[in-house]
């Protein structure tokens, strides 16, 4: 559909931070000129292809700089591969500059300790297999976990594909770890049954958690899997706090999240 030899697509943090904010369209239209196409979220793949096709019927592609997808990412394109790449860098830099001028995260140190070894037995029982656990006390993890209100942590993923690794949200660990895990699994089952048609439910147990006042924790069958989840978390927490300063963080709704998580 895109009539160029080279097409670049990224889920750059700066772009999705703004596109997951309450005022996403208003801000994007402010910082990008008219030759940018800004589209609402639809399911990646064929649904997205149809949306792009319909939205570009009257578009002069020679004047179009990029396509920005809310809650998802950005496309740039050119007949020259390096030019398409440079366009991507330029588009992302505009968003990065806007965030640098309009957001500022003040880091704080965590003041609480958790007995993380006590988390493993009930989690292993819930998952049904051995796990690798990584505790994250990076500055952003401590800052995020030290918030008095952790509702934002349950607001959803930063970009759709993350849900395959992280699920829609983390478990919040307070004091009663086994109960926290049971509550998460029960809520996940409810989420599944609200949207399932013929799908088979994935394991309902969490893939990562917030250790209140301390940091975060991620779980995987291997260290690599746990590290991937931790990396995603660091990016997501930063974006959530920045988007909050732009008026609020808004991710995919529950139905769209489910469709992505259970996409064959």
């Amino acid at each position: 559909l895109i009539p160029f030899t080279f097409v670049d697509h990224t889920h750059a943090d700066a772009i999705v931070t703004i596109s997951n904010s309450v005022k996403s369209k208003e801000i994007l239209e402010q910082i990008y000129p008219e030759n940018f196409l800004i589209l609402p979220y639809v399911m990646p793949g064929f649904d997205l292809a149809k949306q792009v096709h319909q939205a570009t019927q009257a578009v002069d592609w020679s004047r179009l700089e990029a396509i920005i997808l809310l809650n998802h990412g950005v496309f740039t394109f050119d007949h020259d591969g390096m030019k398409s790449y440079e366009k991507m860098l330029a588009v992302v830099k505009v968003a990065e500059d806007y965030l640098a001028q309009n957001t500022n995260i003040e880091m704080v140190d965590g003041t609480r300790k958790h007995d993380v070894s006590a988390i493993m037995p009930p989690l292993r029982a819930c998952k049904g297999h051995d796990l690798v656990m990584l505790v994250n006390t990076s500055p952003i993890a401590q800052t995020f976990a030290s918030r008095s209100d952790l509702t934002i942590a349950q607001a959803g993923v930063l970009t759709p594909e993350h849900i395959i690794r992280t699920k829609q949200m983390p478990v919040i660990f307070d004091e009663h770890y086994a109960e926290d895990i049971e509550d998460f699994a029960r809520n996940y089952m409810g989420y599944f049954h609200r949207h399932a048609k013929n799908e088979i439910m994935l394991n309902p147990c969490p893939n990562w958690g917030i250790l209140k006042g301390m940091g975060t924790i991620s779980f995987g069958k291997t260290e690599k899997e746990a590290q991937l989840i931790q990396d995603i978390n660091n990016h997501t927490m930063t974006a959530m706090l920045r988007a909050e300063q732009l008026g609020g963080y808004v991710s995919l709704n529950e139905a769209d999240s489910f469709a992505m998580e259970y996409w064959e």
Side-chain angles (χ1 to χ4, degrees):
L1 296 176
I2 300 177
F4 290 94
T5 310
F6 295 92
V7 178
D8 287 21
H9 175 51
T10 75
H11 301 177
D13 282 11
I15 296 289
V16 291
T17 296
I18 295 173
S19 79
N20 279 33
S21 67
V22 170
K23 300 178 181 177
S24 58
K25 200 163 188 300
E26 176 185 332
I27 295 172
L28 291 170
E29 289 176 346
Q30 172 191 333
I31 64 177
Y32 294 110
E34 293 181 358
N35 51 344
F36 282 74
L37 186 61
I38 300 169
L39 298 177
Y41 176 83
V42 296
M43 185 77 171
F46 189 56
D47 288 349
L48 176 57
K50 289 192 293 182
Q51 183 198 45
V52 171
H53 174 67
Q54 292 164 2
T56 55
Q57 290 299 294
V59 165
D60 180 354
W61 282 94
S62 67
R63 295 175 59 83
L64 194 61
E65 293 291 330
I67 299 173
I68 297 175
L69 312 172
L70 299 184
N71 305 108
H72 185 159
V74 55
F75 289 99
T76 56
F77 26 81
D78 201 282
H79 286 304
D80 182 287
M82 182 56 71
K83 288 181 180 178
S84 180
Y85 174 68
E86 289 170 347
K87 285 178 181 178
M88 178 63 71
L89 296 182
V91 170
V92 173
K93 187 176 187 304
V94 171
E96 289 175 340
D97 290 346
Y98 180 86
L99 291 175
Q101 294 165 11
N102 292 276
T103 66
N104 178 45
I105 302 173
E106 294 185 9
M107 299 296 179
V108 301
D109 293 331
T111 58
R112 187 171 165 186
K113 299 297 182 184
H114 285 264
D115 180 10
V116 294
S117 64
I119 293 174
M120 287 301 283
L123 185 65
R124 191 180 291 114
C126 187
K127 289 277 193 181
H129 55 73
D130 286 336
L131 294 164
V132 174
M133 172 180 68
L134 288 182
V135 176
N136 177 11
T137 55
S138 64
I140 190 65
Q142 291 188 58
T143 299
F144 196 86
S146 297
R147 292 169 54 90
S148 58
D149 180 6
L150 285 169
T151 306
I152 192 173
Q154 299 173 314
V157 293
L158 182 58
T159 192
E161 284 79 355
H162 284 177
I163 201 167
I164 299 167
R165 297 282 184 184
T166 65
K167 295 188 180 293
Q168 188 189 18
M169 62 184 70
V171 58
I172 309 296
F173 285 119
D174 195 354
E175 296 179 358
H176 306 290
Y177 304 139
E179 291 179 16
D180 295 335
I181 293 167
E182 289 172 8
D183 287 345
F184 182 94
R186 189 181 307 109
N187 290 333
Y188 185 89
M189 292 176 194
Y191 152 78
F192 176 83
H193 291 301
R194 281 193 295 277
H195 301 284
K197 295 181 176 64
N198 301 310
E199 294 86 357
I200 297 172
M201 187 172 67
L202 300 170
N203 188 291
C205 305
N207 289 352
W208 72 290
I210 307 288
L211 299 164
K212 273 191 174 183
M214 178 177 165
T216 67
I217 186 168
S218 58
F219 319 104
K221 288 185 177 180
T222 64
E223 184 173 352
K224 180 179 179 180
E225 184 178 30
Q227 185 66 58
L228 281 168
I229 293 168
Q230 180 173 289
D231 289 346
I232 290 171
N233 298 342
N234 280 333
H235 288 265
T236 301
M237 291 183 291
T238 303
M240 283 178 165
L241 295 181
R242 284 181 171 157
E244 188 176 52
Q245 295 181 0
L246 301 179
Y249 175 85
V250 181
S251 181
L252 305 180
N253 62 42
E254 194 177 86
D256 285 334
S257 295
F258 181 88
M260 191 69 204
E261 186 175 3
Y262 283 85
W263 189 16
E264 290 186 1

